[in-house]
Amino acid sequence: MRKDSTPIAASDSLPNLASNAGWRLEHSYAALPAPFYSRVQPTPVRNPQRVVFNRSLAQTLGLDAEVLDRPESASLFAGNTLPPDALPIAQAYSGHQFGHFTRLGDGRAILLGEQITPDGRRFDIQLKGPGPTPYSRRGDGRAALGPMLREYVISEAMHALGIPTTRSLAVAATGEPVYRESALPGAVLTRVAASHIRVGTFEWAAAQENPQLLRTLADYTLARHYPELAGTQEPYLGLLRAMQDRQIALVTQWLMVGFIHGVMNTDNMALSGETIDYGPCAFMEAYDPATVFSSIDEHGRYAYGNQPAIAQWNLARLAEALLPLLHTEQESAIEKANAVLSEFPRGFQAQWLGGMRSKLGLPDEDDEDLELIRDLLEWMRANSADFTNTFRNLSRGHPNELSTTADPQFQAWHERWQRRLQRRSSSAEAARERMNRVNPTVIPRNHKVEEALAAATDDGDLRPFEFLLAVVQKPFEEPSAGQEYLEPAPQGSPRYRTFCGT
Ligand code: AMP
Ligand code: MG
């Protein structure tokens, strides 16, 4: 199938890149029964070019960063050359997209295998945009450079913020155009993930109406992500509960930094608890729970403030898929699932309140905290206050750095907060330190991301991208240079819009 592979890299460099780069790929997913995936080969591209490479991630993975940092590695990261132990597959899955059930699968992604790190962890190595697969149907299986760079920088920003996420090892340009509304430069992203098992994978397995397939997937997922549940009485119910806990924790972390995923379809919710699929995501600037960036999310289904409810909705789809494993009697199975799902609101409320307390530097709990937090958020909403900068400015402790100090309503709130802090004899210094550990200075500001992508794709200039990447990789530092990365989009900028699957 690879006869037509273009010999891009110098022939003597290929063995190095492929075999001596520290690859240690295993294929536990490919050991699942056949219908879970299809064997497929990346389609070679004309002219692979190195665009960006993540040295520190390569090292974590036990890969040789020196070897892979060479320009010839582009042939590997574009899918023209494969590691010797690769077993390329596309995974089958279904999903509810905007509430509607659909058959999907990796239409533009190919899993090369699972890299075993020196400390024994297992990470999927997946090419995104390597050409068509049996699941592509209408699409071309390709990706454009801009969106792949966008995924790279935002996923790395999320990682630096301490939020579980898939990561980005490399982006290689293909030297071929992809045709969207216009011709765009094509690229392949190498995505690294704890796994690519999705809620949609379970929906797909359930739709096969073969309980053995479903059980196989559930056992595989338990072993890979929830080994502590092995040997417990009701492991599949435990799986649902543990997954719910991870999703509550994840969505809470999103909310704490103003992240809007944008396309929380069930196929974009990972059983690992990682953030996955950086299509139309973006960070909120002015606080408003109704904020939506995605151009196709007309009804605000995936708005900032809706994310907890959608996570719960998606977990109900997971629960439905798992029903045959929960009890032989459907009614009893439903009862068990509902008992777990009904824990969501209380679990979320506790996590959210804890997160917001940290953002305000509160070291302990007080019955009035919820009101204190709500009043601040309501003030922020009414005044279109920048989410990131408001919290960071609070911790600076110099009221004159708050552009809003002239507002008596804000002053009143600020005094209440100060009294609350002092009531528990918490020193201002200690509070500030706590706050600075959780309130970022830097998020990937939408207009800075677009600026960097435009320079890279229109002018071939990667410097703004590299500078942005460096800044967002240290999100809790007070940057000495690059103050412009801290500011929201200039007043009067057009409303920011994002796009899916581009
Ligand atoms: P997403 O919106 O990225 O979650 O993708 C939804 C589905 O569309 C997945 O099954 C993708 O694999 C598929 N898809 C997205 N873009 C393409 C493309 N360019 N070619 C083929 N399939 C695609
Ligand atoms: Mg997806």
Side-chain angles (χ1 to χ4, degrees):
M1 244 186 271
R2 296 182 50 77
K3 308 192 276 291
D4 55 348
S5 163
T6 339
I8 299 304
S11 54
D12 62 345
S13 66
L14 287 179
N16 268 343
L17 286 168
S19 58
N20 298 339
W23 294 107
R24 232 183 110 195
L25 295 175
E26 291 188 359
H27 308 284
S28 66
Y29 197 90
L32 292 177
F36 278 103
Y37 64 91
S38 297
R39 294 286 298 271
V40 59
Q41 294 287 331
T43 307
V45 299
R46 201 180 299 147
N47 184 19
Q49 293 288 328
R50 177 211 138 94
V51 179
V52 51
F53 172 66
N54 193 333
R55 286 184 73 102
S56 93
L57 177 57
Q59 281 156 0
T60 307
L61 292 169
L63 294 172
D64 188 332
E66 289 308 321
V67 169
L68 293 177
D69 207 3
R70 293 191 211 141
E72 311 91 86
S73 69
S75 75
L76 191 77
F77 293 124
N80 281 21
T81 315
L82 294 182
D85 47 358
L87 179 69
I89 61 169
Q91 296 179 336
Y93 54 87
S94 298
H96 276 84
Q97 299 192 304
F98 287 88
H100 303 285
F101 185 73
T102 332
R103 277 183 75 107
L104 297 160
D106 287 334
R108 56 151 171 187
I110 294 180
L111 178 67
L112 299 183
E114 301 139 18
Q115 172 75 0
I116 308 301
T117 67
D119 58 359
R121 290 181 296 157
R122 178 181 297 268
F123 288 99
D124 278 10
I125 307 291
Q126 192 199 59
L127 301 180
K128 191 167 168 182
T133 77
Y135 310 105
S136 300
R137 295 203 300 261
R138 284 184 301 275
D140 57 4
R142 292 293 183 193
L145 176 61
M148 294 305 98
L149 286 176
R150 197 167 185 280
E151 168 152 352
Y152 190 108
V153 69
I154 297 184
S155 62
E156 287 306 297
M158 293 289 273
H159 174 72
L161 286 163
I163 301 176
T165 177
T166 66
R167 297 196 59 194
S168 301
L169 181 63
V171 173
T174 60
E176 296 176 5
V178 294
Y179 298 96
R180 299 296 181 253
E181 267 157 25
S182 55
L184 301 169
V188 177
L189 172 93
T190 304
R191 176 158 71 181
V192 176
S195 84
H196 286 84
I197 306 166
R198 308 147 189 269
V199 169
T201 316
F202 278 86
E203 293 180 280
W204 180 88
Q208 308 306 304
E209 297 188 358
N210 173 349
Q212 200 42 51
L213 279 183
L214 182 63
R215 189 178 301 271
T216 302
L217 177 65
D219 289 339
Y220 178 76
T221 306
L222 281 164
R224 189 154 174 190
H225 295 302
Y226 302 93
E228 67 281 6
L229 295 177
T232 55
Q233 276 232 312
E234 296 184 293
Y236 307 119
L237 195 64
L239 173 63
L240 179 62
R241 186 180 289 115
M243 167 67 171
Q244 174 163 279
D245 290 345
R246 283 194 196 176
Q247 291 302 327
I248 288 174
L250 183 65
V251 170
T252 302
Q253 283 187 282
W254 291 354
L255 297 183
M256 293 302 130
V257 297
F259 179 76
I260 303 170
H261 182 284
V263 61
M264 288 176 71
N265 296 331
T266 55
D267 53 301
N268 294 333
M269 188 188 250
L271 269 287
S272 63
E274 289 181 339
T275 311
I276 187 170
D277 202 316
Y278 290 89
C281 66
F283 283 77
M284 174 173 66
E285 297 200 312
Y287 175 72
D288 184 347
T291 305
V292 170
F293 293 113
S294 171
S295 53
I296 60 166
D297 191 1
E298 286 164 28
H299 304 290
R301 180 181 170 90
Y302 299 138
Y304 171 83
N306 246 6
Q307 296 182 114
I310 291 294
Q312 190 181 13
W313 192 91
N314 289 348
L315 287 161
R317 304 291 79 75
L318 175 64
E320 277 169 6
L322 287 172
L323 284 180
L325 304 181
L326 301 185
H327 200 281
T328 45
E329 303 288 331
Q330 199 189 36
E331 222 162 282
S332 306
I334 292 174
E335 214 169 282
K336 282 173 184 287
N338 277 337
V340 170
L341 295 172
S342 69
E343 294 162 12
F344 186 104
R346 203 152 34 98
F348 169 70
Q349 180 70 8
Q351 287 274 319
W352 182 85
L353 197 52
M356 291 305 293
R357 280 195 177 106
S358 310
K359 285 181 82 65
L360 289 178
L362 306 176
D364 50 20
E365 299 178 12
D366 186 302
D367 288 344
E368 285 165 33
D369 291 347
L370 186 56
E371 208 181 312
L372 184 74
I373 293 160
R374 287 219 172 117
D375 289 350
L376 173 64
L377 290 175
E378 183 41 38
W379 178 86
M380 287 167 67
R381 196 194 57 76
N383 290 277
S384 302
D386 183 80
F387 187 75
T388 305
N389 290 351
T390 301
F391 283 102
R392 191 68 189 198
N393 285 339
L394 283 175
S395 75
R396 290 207 167 96
H398 303 293
N400 58 3
E401 283 192 28
L402 290 168
S403 53
T404 45
T405 41
D407 180 343
Q409 211 187 337
F410 181 80
Q411 281 295 353
W413 180 87
H414 197 269
E415 280 162 29
R416 250 168 86 201
W417 173 53
Q418 288 297 309
R419 281 199 304 278
R420 164 70 178 90
L421 277 173
Q422 285 152 14
R423 205 178 317 148
R424 301 289 164 90
S425 66
S426 169
S427 87
E429 188 49 41
R432 192 172 311 143
E433 266 176 32
R434 276 194 301 275
M435 291 171 74
N436 285 348
R437 279 199 297 269
V438 297
N439 293 317
T441 49
V442 188
I443 53 162
R445 295 277 176 185
N446 301 323
H447 65 293
K448 298 307 281 182
V449 171
E450 292 309 313
E451 213 175 273
L453 300 188
T457 56
D458 301 345
D459 311 329
D461 179 6
L462 276 167
R463 283 169 306 177
F465 179 82
E466 279 160 5
F467 203 90
L468 173 68
L469 188 60
V471 174
V472 300
Q473 278 170 336
K474 295 185 169 134
F476 299 103
E477 289 183 15
E478 297 279 354
S480 45
Q483 292 299 310
E484 82 237 46
Y485 289 89
L486 310 186
E487 297 300 325
Q491 289 264 321
S493 304
R495 194 177 139 219
Y496 188 59
R497 307 281 272 167
T498 58
F499 304 91
C500 281
T502 34

